[in-house]
Amino acid sequence: MSTRYQLHTTWASLERMATRSKPYNFSAGPAILPPVVFERAADAIRDLRSPPHLRDAPRTGLSVLEISHRSPSFGSIVHRAETLCHTVLGVPTTHQVLFLQGGASLQFAMVPLNLGQPDHASCYIDTGIWSKKAIVEAKLQGEVHVVATSTPSGYDRIPPFPAARTYANSSYLHLTTNNTIYGTEYSDIPTVDGDVPLVVDCSSHIGSRPLNLDNVALGYAGAQKNLGPSGVTLVFVRKDLIDRCAHDRVPHILRYATHAKQPSLYNTPNTFGIMVLMFVLEWIEQQGGLTGMAASNGAKATRLYEYLDSSQLFSAYAQPESRSQMNVVWNLDGMASQERTTATARFIQAAENEGFVGLKGHRSLGGCRASMYNAFPAEGVDALVAFMAEYERTA
Amino acid sequence: MSTRYQLHTTWASLERMATRSKPYNFSAGPAILPPVVFERAADAIRDLRSPPHLRDAPRTGLSVLEISHRSPSFGSIVHRAETLCHTVLGVPTTHQVLFLQGGASLQFAMVPLNLGQPDHASCYIDTGIWSKKAIVEAKLQGEVHVVATSTPSGYDRIPPFPAARTYANSSYLHLTTNNTIYGTEYSDIPTVDGDVPLVVDCSSHIGSRPLNLDNVALGYAGAQKNLGPSGVTLVFVRKDLIDRCAHDRVPHILRYATHAKQPSLYNTPNTFGIMVLMFVLEWIEQQGGLTGMAASNGAKATRLYEYLDSSQLFSAYAQPESRSQMNVVWNLDGMASQERTTATARFIQAAENEGFVGLKGHRSLGGCRASMYNAFPAEGVDALVAFMAEYERTA
């Protein structure tokens, strides 16, 4: 099965694609990264420069894949990556940055094992499958209160932020800030009343827009959306919380305190992944930082939502006030269930034939999804809208 | 600090190095991989072929870093990597292969959380720091018996295998089969009497020689020695043990059963790392498999040990019957402690100036260490021996 772009001369709006050798990749993650990052990563695999972020730095003669995680070359990578999390992503200096393994899924377990306090419940806001997975893991370790949910409407919106009394005295309050499956997003981090620590899974939109991370006690993100390849997890934790641990049988590798002692070097980290993350953060900085990202992401999302809202064939899944700039989810309109499944599959195949890949919705929801992370080009959205409008016209 | 090779015309034996643009990398891990693997990894970052193990397969137009872990392209990678673990590494088909994250250090915790049984102790053989770290984690979860140790002699040998009565009725018996820090190795997997599961941390020598893995109930290995880059852990577990779990509060992501249900795809794995591991296993197969590896590794190790045993300046750390083919550890002879530290640092710097990097011993032991994994070239060992002999002659 080839997913390469096929030249299609009848649509003027798609002409630009004729020069592309690359499909438009709407994958939800692992996801598209900037071309310059691919180039630099490939170059560092052949012969690492040290320091690697300087294009004219001397070559080491070694691949980044073969250098020790305790070498000066890797030390400079991890230190610079940490610094860029503060300066580019806006992680406050009151927080320790850690690059761990195991993805957000391991954080679902680590959060209750560290921040859970005896005789205190932990509170969760339920915005869909990823929240629910976090809740399942928290329930293994103690009492959980779900203090807000949008399950009655099929997670097509973010629920109103709960009143302070609902989460008072809890160990922490947990929130998933962007929901890839349904295409819903908190446009900023809410403010928590009182001193209950706010924990956020911001995997799928950190780096895409300015977020007020001062409100966050502990944040985590699998890197494979806007930050880098899979296999690296960004964690940032307020320093006064690092030494919290639910009980004395928690394995050392699952304690934030263990990793904070020698940041990200308690054991051998994903050295390559951390380097790529560093390259990505440099690219974001060069593009105008999070303000620049927000502007381009906002324009891309608006373009697609405006078309969907005007379409007679397609309709966006998320309610307008909750819509994600990262993941746009839509369905085909006005059909019975079986007919819709067939028509959706036909549309997705037609799009793939034209070089638009990764448009299949999450298996739990069906439908279509376009993930348009930072590195996704605006012209790819224009091309998709043109394709969809033509598809609608001729369908 | 440049570690590039400096031309040194006075030593005929080193002339070959003059043509090298690459240092000889003796790093203990992450470690040297075959040059062809670096090439293929860099190529797949630019534009992945699908199926990626076929050199003439069509290009996808996508980087391996941006494809979904649920895409057909990645599915073919993980399936082929699994198959090669059976056919090349000799993992029995009675065992499930898993590619996890978190390194051996996470396995130190997962083993007792899965295989530990209430009211049964777990047994460990103590061959040095890595064993001791595993023991610390097991003690957090239950009673541990250390049934053999070589600590009285500073871990310069592997201890006699314990009698069956010492580990009878235990949950499992745990063994570290190659000890990078001291340069000791079990040349094959011992046979356990009775039906106690044998658990092995074989991180630093799996893939380097044939090992009788039929004797192993559960094996694990951080990939960053002979198998690939850091950030991937190979685990293989006998299928009848997969569903064991110490108690019902173990997080799902720490249960082997969770990962076995949809092998290596419970959550987003280190997709790039698994692809590189696949390329490495293909290379081992092309080099004659584990028999071929054992022959070349044996010859390299013999070359260096023979020189060390004949030297008046250097002496090998490990006792002859316990010596590792992977990691050769030595000290400078006949000096007081402070003088030795200074002389060792001087030797390591002189070696580095000549393009031999990564020879510093582990910080817990001091001295020197040459890790000579599969991809380390025989001529690099010849060159090192020639350099050391000349150093000894002129020191």
Side-chain angles (χ1 to χ4, degrees), chain A residues 282-298:
Chain A
E282 287 176 341
W283 176 84
I284 292 177
E285 189 173 44
Q286 286 155 9
Q287 304 297 308
L290 297 191
T291 311
M293 291 296 112
S296 74
N297 289 326

Side-chain angles (χ1 to χ4, degrees), chain A residues 22 46 66 137 230 252 269, chain B residues 22 39 66 102 137 230 252 269:
Chain A
K22 193 172 164 56
R46 292 222 167 82
E66 66 176 314
E137 298 309 315
S230 62
H252 290 95
Chain B
K22 191 172 164 60
E39 284 305 311
E66 66 177 315
E137 298 309 314
S230 61
H252 290 96

Side-chain angles (χ1 to χ4, degrees), chain B residues 16-323:
Chain B
R16 197 193 316 222
M17 284 184 64
T19 61
R20 285 173 60 83
S21 63
K22 191 172 164 60
Y24 285 117
N25 178 19
F26 292 94
S27 174
I32 188 170
L33 296 174
V36 65
V37 170
F38 293 142
E39 284 305 311
R40 301 196 72 180
D43 185 62
I45 284 178
R46 292 219 168 85
D47 194 345
L48 178 71
R49 293 179 185 276
S50 185
H53 66 283
L54 296 181
R55 286 173 195 237
D56 55 353
R59 293 192 178 272
T60 59
L62 297 172
S63 167
V64 65
L65 300 184
E66 66 177 315
I67 62 167
S68 168
H69 55 300
R70 307 215 181 268
S71 65
S73 290
F74 186 70
S76 82
I77 292 173
V78 75
H79 180 258
R80 182 160 168 81
E82 244 187 64
T83 301
L84 291 167
C85 287
H86 292 294
T87 58
V88 176
L89 296 181
V91 174
T93 54
T94 46
H95 290 53
Q96 176 66 54
V97 168
L98 300 171
F99 303 112
L100 305 184
Q101 298 183 54
S105 296
L106 186 58
Q107 295 308 306
F108 297 164
M110 281 180 69
V111 166
L113 287 172
N114 284 269
L115 300 191
Q117 295 189 299
D119 309 321
H120 291 262
S122 54
C123 291
Y124 282 73
I125 295 176
D126 170 26
T127 53
I129 285 181
W130 297 110
S131 299
K132 287 167 89 81
K133 284 176 186 272
I135 290 166
V136 165
E137 298 309 314
K139 281 183 173 169
L140 288 180
Q141 309 306 330
E143 192 182 346
V144 171
H145 297 162
V146 176
V147 293
T149 179
S150 52
T151 189
S153 62
Y155 298 117
D156 69 348
R157 67 198 73 187
I158 56 175
F161 200 73
R165 62 178 164 70
T166 64
Y167 56 79
N169 293 315
S170 61
S171 291
Y172 58 87
L173 173 63
H174 182 282
L175 180 64
T176 313
T177 49
N178 184 75
N179 300 278
T180 49
I181 295 175
Y182 321 93
T184 62
E185 181 178 14
Y186 288 84
S187 57
D188 202 350
I189 308 290
T191 304
V192 172
D193 286 327
D195 57 1
V196 172
L198 178 66
V199 176
V200 299
D201 174 357
C202 50
S203 294
S204 48
H205 75 158
I206 191 167
S208 74
R209 63 195 309 164
L211 294 170
N212 186 355
L213 301 182
D214 289 324
N215 290 347
V216 174
L218 187 152
Y220 60 90
Q224 67 271 15
K225 317 289 187 181
N226 278 315
L227 300 182
S230 61
V232 182
T233 320
L234 167 66
V235 174
F236 47 96
V237 51
R238 218 173 58 209
K239 288 173 184 171
D240 62 295
L241 293 170
I242 286 174
D243 288 327
R244 272 210 202 173
C245 188
H247 57 78
D248 58 10
R249 294 179 65 187
V250 175
H252 290 96
I253 196 171
L254 300 187
R255 302 182 191 187
Y256 296 116
T258 301
H259 295 284
K261 264 180 210 143
Q262 198 182 359
S264 306
L265 290 172
Y266 165 65
N267 65 331
T268 316
N270 178 345
T271 51
F272 171 77
I274 293 171
M275 180 197 69
V276 177
L277 180 143
M278 178 190 75
F279 289 148
V280 170
L281 293 181
E282 287 176 341
W283 176 84
I284 293 176
E285 189 173 44
Q286 285 154 10
Q287 304 296 307
L290 297 190
T291 311
M293 290 296 113
S296 73
N297 288 327
K300 288 184 288 181
T302 299
R303 180 89 181 90
L304 184 49
Y305 282 122
E306 280 183 353
Y307 163 68
L308 290 170
D309 287 342
S310 74
S311 167
Q312 306 300 308
L313 180 62
F314 305 106
S315 63
Y317 184 76
Q319 294 300 304
E321 69 282 2
S322 299
R323 286 177 175 173

Side-chain angles (χ1 to χ4, degrees), chain A residues 57-74:
Chain A
R59 293 193 177 271
T60 60
L62 298 172
S63 168
V64 66
L65 300 184
E66 66 176 314
I67 63 167
S68 170
H69 56 299
R70 307 216 180 269
S71 64
S73 290
F74 186 70

